[in-house]
Amino acid sequence: MVAKFQLEVVAGMEALDRPIRKSRVHRPGLEFAGYYDFFPIEHVQVLGKKEITYLHKLTHEERDERIGNVVHYHPPCFVVTWNQDGLEYLTAHCRKEGIPLLRTPRTTTEFMTLADAYLAKMLAPEIQVHGVCVNVAGIGILLRGKSGIGKSETALTLIRRGHRLVADDAVVLKKINPQTLLGTHNGTTREFLALRSVGLMNVVRVYGRGAFQDETRIVLDIELIRWKENELYNDLELEQKYTEYMGVRVPHIQIPLQPGRDVAGLVEAAAHNWYLQTQGYSAAEDFMRRLHPE
């Protein structure tokens, strides 16, 4: 977090490895005033102009007592915004208790917004699934299917058409909130695409920076399956199917494969069709209304 936000370490350099386990930051205004019920002690504590100005107005004895009472709970760290100075009293307590005291020139609102988003992502529950994650025209898609079905080859075709790879083989899914699933790579496979008979390919080196992005919101789960003869594939099915990951439901589509099918084109079509549905238009419902006009 110190490197991410370029924070100045005022005190507690030796304690920068203290774990942060909660995703939302907290402003301890009530706690400095003496109210400790519901104090979220595991959260990063942010001190803005209100908190620092309040502490400056106290007598030396009152300030020492109020700060000591808050520091006693050992939160992960304190971050002072607006590059405020006159922090000698905070510095002394933080050094004594081994708690990092950090400072940033950002405004309180700006820092809290950025820190909340960053911590929510870093501390989000996550799982790893076998598949390929791509971003098609701004729409995040998880491609799944049995090994050898053609997921990576489909991703390659999509990349050549101007879309982006996010992760190949090992896709990390992060649950940002009850409705949002983020797809990313595990770090090791970043920018790599594994192709049978060809080997590993670095898509950035081959196709340029625009062929890759670090993460994307997953809004479609597409499963590639083998075509079965005499199987009825009802393409006008109105009922949406879903796959669930960590409690987040994602629209699910199956694409049967057979020689000659443009699988990448079907993935593109599914992405654009999903976007139209989010805008309130359903081609299937429109078609059914034409069949049965009122």
Side-chain angles (χ1 to χ4, degrees), residues 103-121:
R103 182 161 54 188
T104 176
R106 299 181 190 272
T107 68
T108 307
T109 301
E110 180 187 7
F111 176 76
M112 291 182 69
T113 301
L114 294 173
D116 279 343
Y118 172 74
L119 292 174
K121 187 184 301 182

Side-chain angles (χ1 to χ4, degrees), residues 147-161:
S147 182
I149 196 74
K151 301 182 294 296
S152 298
E153 290 82 356
T154 301
L156 176 63
T157 303
L158 288 167
I159 292 168
R160 293 175 61 191
R161 293 182 182 182

Side-chain angles (χ1 to χ4, degrees), residues 134 136-143 154 158 161 163 219-224 235 240 251-256 261-278 281 283:
V134 289
V136 177
I139 296 169
I141 296 175
L142 177 63
L143 287 176
T154 301
L158 288 167
R161 293 182 182 182
H163 307 297
V219 298
L220 271 180
D221 177 73
I222 297 180
E223 182 182 7
L224 305 182
D235 293 332
Q240 177 68 67
H252 172 74
I253 298 172
Q254 284 187 334
I255 296 181
R261 293 202 91 188
D262 180 8
V263 182
L266 291 172
V267 172
E268 287 179 315
H272 294 306
N273 207 40
W274 173 88
Y275 176 76
L276 286 176
Q277 290 173 358
T278 64
Y281 175 78

